[in-house]
Amino acid sequence: MRPRLLRGVPEETLLSELFGGPCAIEDQTSVPYSGKVELANHGTLYLADFAEAGRKVLERIDRFLADKRMVLGGGTEPVALDMRVIASSAVPVEELARRENVPPTLLKALEPGIVRIPALREHLEDVPLLLHHFLQEANRERKKPLRGFTSSALSALQTYGWPGNVRELRDLVRAVAGRKKQGTMIDATDIPPEILYRNLRRHPPQ
C-alpha cells in the first residue's frame, strides 16, 4: 500500500506527487518521473484525508477513477492501471456533499464502498492496545525503548474523549516518548495538561 496524506499540500505539488511530471536536471533538460498513482499499479493507493485537498486535485482524481487510465512517465498514450484505491476522511459523508471542493461525481464513485468507522470515543476499551502499539512503533524509531505506561497514565488516557481520534493518540504517544529517558515508563505526569485536567474535571477525586 502506498499512502498519501492530502492535507496541507499545495495543489500543484500534490498533483505532481500523485500523477508525476517532468523533473529538471543539471543541464536544464527534463526527464519524466513517476507519481504515486503509477507506482501503486498492481497494489493499493491510500489517499488519507482526501477531502482536505483542493478542487483541482480532487477533479483530477475523479477523472482517473472514471477509467483508471493515465499517461505514464515518458509515454504518449493512456495506459490502464490495475489498483485498489482507498480514500479516508474524518468528515461525515453528509458534510462532504456540501463542500465546494469535493466534486459530486467523486463522492458518487466512492459511495458504493463507503465504510463508516466508529470514533475512538465509542470504543475506549481499545485505547490500551493502541497505546502499546504506538509505543512499540516509537521504540523502534527511537532505538531507546520505554517500558510502557503506568496504571495512572492508562486510566487518564482511557477516559479522554479523543476528538482527534487515533491520529491524536498516535501523535501524543510519539511526542511523550520523545521526551522520556530510555527504560522509563510513561506516567500521568507526562500527559499534557489539556488532557489530564479535562479528565480531572470529568472525574474528580472522591
Side-chain angles (χ1 to χ4, degrees):
M1 180 183 292
R2 291 187 171 271
R4 184 60 178 99
L5 182 66
L6 303 194
R7 185 199 311 169
V9 182
E11 281 194 312
E12 294 304 324
T13 300
L14 194 49
L15 282 169
S16 295
E17 287 189 16
L18 288 172
F19 297 99
C23 178
I25 55 178
E26 290 183 2
D27 61 1
Q28 303 303 312
T29 60
S30 62
V31 294
Y33 66 91
S34 301
K36 292 185 179 295
V37 172
E38 180 180 344
L39 294 173
N41 195 23
H42 303 301
T44 300
L45 178 69
Y46 174 33
L47 305 174
D49 286 338
F50 80 96
E52 305 307 316
R55 177 87 182 196
K56 187 175 181 180
V57 173
L58 295 182
E59 286 177 342
R60 180 68 181 86
I61 293 172
D62 187 25
R63 291 197 300 272
F64 169 72
L65 291 180
D67 59 7
K68 291 187 179 178
R69 295 171 62 87
M70 62 177 287
V71 177
L72 305 184
T76 57
E77 297 294 329
V79 175
L81 301 184
D82 178 21
M83 71 180 68
R84 178 190 297 110
V85 178
I86 299 174
S88 67
S89 175
V91 180
V93 175
E94 296 76 15
E95 183 178 335
L96 291 178
R98 295 191 294 269
R99 288 196 173 187
E100 294 183 357
N101 67 309
V102 181
T105 49
L106 176 58
L107 279 184
K108 186 175 181 179
L110 296 173
E111 189 174 13
I114 289 178
V115 177
R116 290 175 172 82
I117 301 175
L120 183 55
R121 65 178 176 273
E122 298 178 28
H123 51 106
L124 291 174
E125 67 275 7
D126 292 343
V127 167
L129 291 174
L130 291 168
L131 287 170
H132 288 295
H133 169 74
F134 290 125
L135 181 59
Q136 288 176 357
E137 283 191 352
N139 283 342
R140 287 193 295 269
E141 293 174 1
R142 295 176 67 242
K143 296 183 173 59
K144 295 181 180 179
L146 304 180
R147 291 165 45 209
F149 298 84
T150 65
S151 58
S152 61
L154 288 175
S155 177
L157 295 173
Q158 198 169 1
T159 53
Y160 178 58
W162 300 107
N165 285 305
V166 175
R167 183 177 296 138
E168 181 185 6
L169 184 148
R170 179 200 62 193
D171 293 345
L172 171 68
V173 172
R174 290 180 174 179
V176 173
R179 300 192 297 266
K180 297 288 290 183
K181 293 182 178 180
Q182 180 176 351
T184 59
M185 299 185 73
I186 295 177
D187 187 52
T189 56
D190 300 310
I191 298 173
E194 60 269 22
I195 293 178
L196 185 62
Y197 293 157
R198 183 174 180 176
N199 283 339
L200 288 176
R201 287 195 296 270
R202 291 173 55 196
H203 305 282
Q206 299 299 319

